[in-house]
Amino acid sequence: MSTPYAKLPAWADYGLIPVINLFVAFVVAGFVVLLVGENPFRAAVILVEGAFGRGTGIAFTLFYATTFIFSGLSVAVAAHCGLFNIGGEGQGYIAGLGIGVVCLAFDSVLPWWLTFPLAIIASAAMGALWALIPAYLQAKRGSHIVITTIMFNFIAASVMVYALVGFLKPASSMAPQTRTFLDGAQLPKLNWVIELFGAKIRSAPLNISFLLALVMAYLVWLLIWRTRLGYEMRTYGHSSKAARYAGISEIRIVIIAMMISGALAGMMALNPTMGDQHNVALDFVSGAGFVGIAVALMGRLHPVGIVLAAILFGMLYQGGAELAFEMPAISRDMIVIIQGLVILFAGALEHMFRPYIQALFASISPKAVGIEAVKGKGA
Amino acid sequence: MDIFTAIVQILDSTIRLSVPLLLACLAGLYSERAGVFDIGLEGKMLVGAFAGAAAASVFHSAFLGLGMAILISVVFALIHGFASITHRGNQIVSGVAINFIAAGSTIMLGQHWFQQGGRTPALAPGERFEAITWPGVDAVRDVPIIGPIYSELISGHSILVYIAFLMVPFTWWVLFRTRFGLRLRAVGENPAAVDTAGISVAWLRYRALICTGILTGVAGAYLSMVQNGGFVKDMTAGKGYIALAALIFAKWKPVNAMFACLLFGFLDALSIRLQGTPLPLIGKVPVQFMQALPYVLTVILLAGFIGKAIPPRAGGVPYVKER
């Protein structure tokens, strides 16, 4: 298939276009704020102040961002291999089962720094397992990965209800959640890092899994751009035919990519369970898997972009909570609308402004968009 | 209790539960047959349900409610079209976006307009679609076998139920017996050929999406104006995705779609009915297992173990004219 759009300079492609798309999404969101009778500019100020104005706000923003880094990386790894993993929600949810079992078994015997690696392995393994079946079906039997991963989201939800009600909750309790984890399965807080800079923090759940998320972002970068496996994944993502011609095993690469993606999605369960609530409860993922799609799209599938986009969405979550508190007409559902708009403008409509920007660049400097290359000198 | 009465009651709730699935499934049929994947069925149903209930309670008219449900749902379908047809965006991403926007905006606007925590006011009798009693119900009610079937199963549903089931042969007729249907199917298989024949691919796909919007609007209206006397937040609760599963299960064919939706509706009805009661031979079946069954069945089907589901060939691929 022909490429419908010519090239732009890298800074415009990775910087300018996402910023313009984001701006348009926020303008439309501003109209929604206007529709419910509030001042969008004041709303924006409250949002940003709530997220970054005080130490507690920053800690909460980074806490939310932690989960989104994992889910964004998960979507990105699959996307580099040309696969759309929409099942991060289910993979993260089912990982709660692994975490629950590990924590309930070891929290009274082991210190946190031994439980944590075990829980990481358990969550990654459960997430990878939940991605394995759709991956296998895609690679081997050609069933569409989007549909199977959606189906697996729902199956995960049923399995988790069954597990929580059936054997994870204490027999004496009615609530479908595990008992509170003991000290051995509670992750240490990271709030002191922010306090180093002089800010005061009243109990925020920012914890050590934030560092794990950053490590994972680095490892994903290493994997995608510095290893043979990553090269094979990108090749397959660009053209499955070329990959096959180059002798890359289709089944192997799809399954490996999806399992890595699933493992990353699974790890996002660590933050809300061991880091914040100290239990595994019903529906603890609460949409973070889907936010990962927006984060990955905003971050242009690059780990650095994903970390920045995750912080942006963390800001929306934290600032949105403040906004709902300050402006009664605006509920937390405003965040859901903004997310939707960001996905729409940064994802589905990402090419909307491109022709105009291209025309603009071409009028300023034809060389920048590669028009000169045709004359025979080469780019 | 009489086992026959129990069966009739389960079948009756099967019909009630499968109607929204059927409408959404047929809606998906139009767009996917035209080569546009639509995982935004869920969101379009949701805005339809909200717009329908809101308009019905403000204007005190069920039919105005239905009209508004269809209108708003079509608008969302056109947004999907704008992103995925005109701007050749990723259709899955666009569908996800629509689901998000629908989930957020229905609660926000509902709270702003009605101040009831995202609900719309409970609909009064004239504002919702009433059950239609067929002639002669009282006369045959006491006849064994036929009586209960006629009076419980066939009679006593709202107009939308009958419309949903009439849409099945109608959709079949449109897709397989009209010129529009032929072109619609062609554009889902080989858009380049349709383009060569001088027919606009984009306009055809837009028209398919309008059909989708109309049907999801009716499905939403059914949820909020028949099944439930008002809008409740997130009331679609994954029905759009089950409809999508049913569509694949039906291998993108209208009559199969009806049976798939009846099957999934039956599973739902059964799981409500069986809650906590042990079955002979198997013992107590967990509710969650019954709830997961439609999805498991679809995955098994997709794996090619129950026949093979072959999607329209151009599905999910934006059409780029060579230049």
Side-chain angles (χ1 to χ4, degrees):
Chain A
M1 207 173 74
S2 60
T3 324
Y5 302 108
K7 262 183 109 68
L8 278 177
W11 67 268
D13 213 0
Y14 294 102
L16 187 63
I17 288 186
V19 168
I20 291 175
N21 289 338
L22 196 64
F23 178 73
V24 176
F26 276 98
V27 168
V28 177
F31 279 111
V32 178
V33 174
L34 214 57
L35 196 65
V36 298
E38 291 283 1
N39 180 348
F41 296 103
R42 226 191 105 219
V45 170
I46 295 174
L47 194 100
V48 174
E49 263 183 8
F52 294 119
R54 278 190 309 275
T56 315
I58 298 173
F60 263 101
T61 298
L62 294 181
F63 163 73
Y64 290 121
T66 307
T67 315
F68 301 151
I69 294 174
F70 284 119
S71 56
L73 289 173
S74 159
V75 174
V77 167
H80 276 294
C81 196
L83 301 162
F84 198 143
N85 180 12
I86 201 166
E89 187 80 6
Q91 289 144 15
Y93 199 10
I94 207 80
L97 186 60
I99 293 174
V101 170
V102 166
C103 292
L104 292 180
F106 296 115
D107 65 347
S108 56
V109 262
L110 297 179
W112 73 265
W113 46 271
L114 284 177
T115 323
F116 189 38
L118 287 177
I120 294 175
I121 293 168
S123 62
M126 287 303 286
L129 182 75
W130 211 245
L132 171 65
I133 305 165
Y136 174 81
L137 293 178
Q138 160 90 38
K140 200 85 177 170
R141 311 205 58 119
S143 27
H144 202 298
I145 197 116
V146 171
I147 304 292
T148 35
T149 45
I150 290 177
M151 298 301 130
F152 267 73
N153 284 344
F154 285 100
I155 299 172
S158 292
V159 171
M160 282 305 282
V161 176
Y162 179 69
L164 283 168
V165 176
F167 55 90
L168 282 180
K169 82 172 172 65
S172 56
S173 154
M174 283 302 287
Q177 58 192 41
T178 64
R179 65 172 167 79
T180 307
F181 298 153
L182 303 175
D183 286 345
Q186 300 195 359
L187 298 181
K189 300 266 185 280
L190 275 185
N191 296 334
W192 55 271
V193 178
I194 297 172
E195 280 174 341
L196 279 185
F197 295 97
K200 278 258 166 15
I201 293 185
R202 285 173 288 115
S203 72
L206 177 64
N207 60 74
I208 197 146
S209 61
F210 178 65
L211 297 182
L212 179 70
L214 294 182
V215 170
M216 283 303 152
Y218 175 69
L219 289 181
V220 165
W221 174 81
L222 215 57
L223 168 77
I224 300 287
W225 281 282
R226 288 293 179 273
T227 66
R228 187 194 164 118
L229 181 65
Y231 182 74
E232 288 181 353
M233 277 166 51
R234 281 183 294 136
T235 309
Y236 185 81
H238 274 292
S239 159
S240 55
K241 277 187 190 140
R244 210 174 305 137
Y245 185 70
I248 296 169
S249 159
E250 199 170 345
I251 296 170
R252 180 178 146 265
I253 203 75
V254 166
I255 288 183
I256 291 179
M258 274 305 284
M259 284 184 78
I260 295 172
S261 170
L264 287 165
M267 279 187 245
M268 91 182 161
L270 295 163
N271 187 39
T273 56
M274 291 177 77
D276 179 27
Q277 294 298 315
H278 305 308
N279 66 16
V280 176
L282 212 59
D283 207 21
F284 68 87
V285 188
S286 59
F290 291 113
V291 180
I293 299 168
V295 168
L297 289 171
M298 266 312 302
R300 291 267 157 162
L301 307 183
H302 191 287
V304 174
I306 287 169
V307 171
L308 293 177
I311 292 173
L312 175 83
F313 274 87
M315 178 196 99
L316 283 182
Y317 266 65
Q318 167 55 20
E322 293 285 316
L323 195 59
F325 185 72
E326 296 275 332
M327 290 183 165
I330 295 175
S331 63
R332 289 204 69 167
D333 304 292
M334 187 67 215
I335 314 168
V336 181
I337 302 180
I338 298 179
Q339 270 172 37
L341 291 169
V342 169
I343 296 176
L344 185 67
F345 285 102
L349 285 171
E350 62 174 337
H351 300 311
M352 185 156 75
F353 300 106
R354 188 176 268 263
Y356 306 108
I357 295 167
Q358 238 155 18
L360 188 72
F361 270 87
S363 66
I364 299 167
S365 136
K367 216 180 239 165
V369 276
I371 290 174
E372 284 253 305
V374 187
K375 287 183 182 163
K377 281 239 169 180
Chain B
M1 190 174 56
D2 183 11
I3 191 119
F4 177 73
T5 330
I7 290 173
V8 168
Q9 277 172 4
I10 289 182
L11 291 181
D12 184 48
S13 54
T14 297
I15 290 178
R16 288 169 203 276
L17 290 168
S18 56
V19 164
L21 299 182
L22 180 58
L23 286 164
C25 187
L26 292 175
L29 188 72
Y30 280 94
S31 79
E32 301 224 341
R33 274 284 183 161
V36 181
F37 278 166
D38 195 354
I39 65 170
L41 292 176
E42 175 90 359
K44 287 198 276 286
M45 266 165 97
L46 197 61
V47 290
F50 174 71
S57 74
V58 171
F59 301 119
H60 308 293
S61 155
F63 281 96
L64 268 177
L66 180 65
M68 194 54 92
I70 290 173
L71 182 72
I72 301 296
S73 180
V74 167
V75 168
F76 271 67
L78 290 178
I79 296 175
H80 185 52
F82 181 68
S84 60
I85 302 170
T86 305
H87 287 288
R88 306 196 285 262
N90 186 318
Q91 297 168 2
I92 308 286
V93 172
S94 164
V96 172
I98 280 174
N99 288 343
F100 268 97
I101 295 171
S105 56
T106 47
I107 305 177
M108 271 276 283
L109 293 178
Q111 173 62 18
H112 177 59
W113 285 335
F114 303 107
Q115 311 284 338
Q116 295 183 8
R119 287 165 168 268
T120 61
L123 294 178
E127 297 164 0
R128 47 187 297 192
F129 289 99
E130 302 298 328
I132 299 169
T133 311
W134 284 35
V137 163
D138 290 324
V140 295
R141 190 181 293 278
D142 296 324
V143 182
I145 313 285
I146 301 169
I149 288 179
Y150 184 73
S151 61
E152 298 272 333
L153 217 54
I154 296 175
S155 164
H157 295 289
S158 82
I159 178 102
L160 296 186
V161 174
Y162 301 109
I163 289 178
F165 282 95
L166 286 177
M167 282 314 291
V168 177
F170 180 72
T171 300
W172 176 85
W173 180 78
V174 167
L175 282 182
F176 295 97
R177 286 293 178 274
T178 66
R179 183 182 296 181
F180 170 67
L182 178 69
R183 288 174 175 177
L184 190 144
R185 283 180 294 134
V187 88
E189 297 289 338
N190 190 346
V194 176
D195 201 13
T196 314
I199 301 157
S200 163
V201 173
W203 172 226
L204 246 174
R205 287 189 167 169
Y206 266 112
R207 275 184 289 172
L209 278 179
I210 291 171
C211 298
T212 304
I214 292 170
L215 286 172
T216 45
V218 180
Y222 177 83
L223 285 176
S224 67
M225 297 165 65
V226 177
Q227 216 169 50
N228 203 338
F231 176 84
V232 186
K233 71 174 186 175
D234 286 328
M235 74 183 311
T236 43
K239 287 195 178 60
Y241 294 108
I242 297 201
L244 208 59
L247 180 60
I248 297 161
F249 208 72
K251 300 173 187 176
W252 292 271
K253 292 193 180 94
V255 178
N256 290 3
M258 181 180 77
F259 287 116
C261 291
L262 283 173
L263 172 67
F264 290 173
F266 176 71
L267 290 174
D268 203 3
L270 207 59
S271 76
I272 295 170
R273 181 88 191 182
L274 289 181
Q275 234 157 35
T277 38
L279 281 182
L281 295 176
I282 320 168
K284 208 166 144 182
V285 179
V287 196
Q288 292 84 28
F289 177 75
M290 301 290 279
Q291 281 165 351
L293 206 52
Y295 307 112
V296 176
L297 283 176
T298 308
V299 170
I300 295 174
L301 173 85
L302 275 169
F305 294 121
I306 321 173
K308 193 146 179 63
I310 301 163
R313 214 153 60 103
V317 188
Y319 179 64
V320 184
K321 226 178 194 164
E322 293 291 332
R323 38 177 133 186

